[in-house]
Amino acid sequence: MGQTKAVLLGIGAGYAASKLMDRVTTAYQEQQSEASKQREKELQEVPAYVKAAEKLGEIRGEQIEQERAERLGQRLHLGLGLSGGVTAGLLAARGVNPFTAGILTGLGMWVFVDEGANAMLGLTPPATAYPRETHIRGLVGHLAYGTALGIFLAVGNLLFPRGTRTED
């Protein structure tokens, strides 16, 4: 698979996988114990992606109103999902099985972003502050994301097979 095809398939797969992940994590959160929901609320009033938008505003020397920060944060969150799709697509283009590429990307994002970078960047408290259910929800969500990436990339490769033309 050429790089352009890998990027385009990755963007589409990342978009669809992100939407699925949001549904999975929302459904999981609805089943969480009230104690864990309360603890999460105590630790963080707004999602990490909203906090990221607020911090970007601070870097630019402006204070972003809450509604705008939420919109920008959702775009940042989706952008992260798209970038994961591109990463998995490029891995698949390099010969990694699309399912493996998707799962590795999803797990990598959970470990490095959710469990690491968010706290290091001051977007969330340390991972150890959160209840176990929070981590399980993140893991389940990212596994759903990664699995969806793999499926969408595999289907995309079937629908758009490698051509006879020289790959880019």
Side-chain angles (χ1 to χ4, degrees):
M1 166 184 1
Q3 287 188 355
T4 302
K5 177 183 164 187
V7 168
L8 292 174
L9 282 177
I11 289 170
Y15 180 83
S18 293
K19 295 301 181 181
L20 174 71
M21 179 181 165
D22 288 344
R23 288 178 181 231
V24 168
T25 55
T26 298
Y28 191 99
Q29 188 174 38
E30 289 170 358
Q31 301 304 312
Q32 281 183 229
S33 71
E34 289 304 316
S36 72
K37 290 180 196 178
Q38 182 59 38
R39 178 66 179 145
E40 285 182 25
K41 190 175 258 185
E42 291 167 3
L43 289 169
Q44 189 168 9
E45 293 179 19
V46 298
Y49 55 82
V50 174
K51 191 97 165 195
E54 292 170 346
K55 283 191 176 269
L56 287 174
E58 288 173 18
I59 290 169
R60 294 183 51 174
E62 59 184 89
Q63 188 170 351
I64 300 175
E65 65 179 45
Q66 188 65 31
E67 188 176 307
R68 182 168 175 234
E70 288 175 13
R71 283 193 316 270
L72 291 173
Q74 288 172 347
R75 289 180 185 146
L76 288 171
H77 185 65
L78 179 59
L80 193 57
L82 297 178
S83 70
V86 170
T87 299
L90 290 172
L91 286 171
R94 300 265 188 267
V96 176
N97 177 292
F99 296 104
T100 302
I103 295 291
L104 288 176
T105 300
L107 286 174
M109 292 176 83
W110 175 64
V111 170
F112 294 111
V113 177
D114 282 20
E115 299 292 312
N118 281 343
M120 288 174 46
L121 295 171
L123 304 177
T124 64
T128 55
Y130 286 90
R132 183 176 306 163
E133 286 179 287
T134 304
H135 301 285
I136 294 170
R137 182 182 72 235
L139 175 59
V140 167
H142 283 88
L143 284 173
Y145 170 83
T147 301
L149 277 180
I151 291 169
F152 292 131
L153 290 172
V155 169
N157 287 333
L158 291 173
L159 293 174
F160 307 103
R162 185 177 185 160
T164 55
R165 165 183 100 112
T166 304
E167 296 292 330
D168 45 321

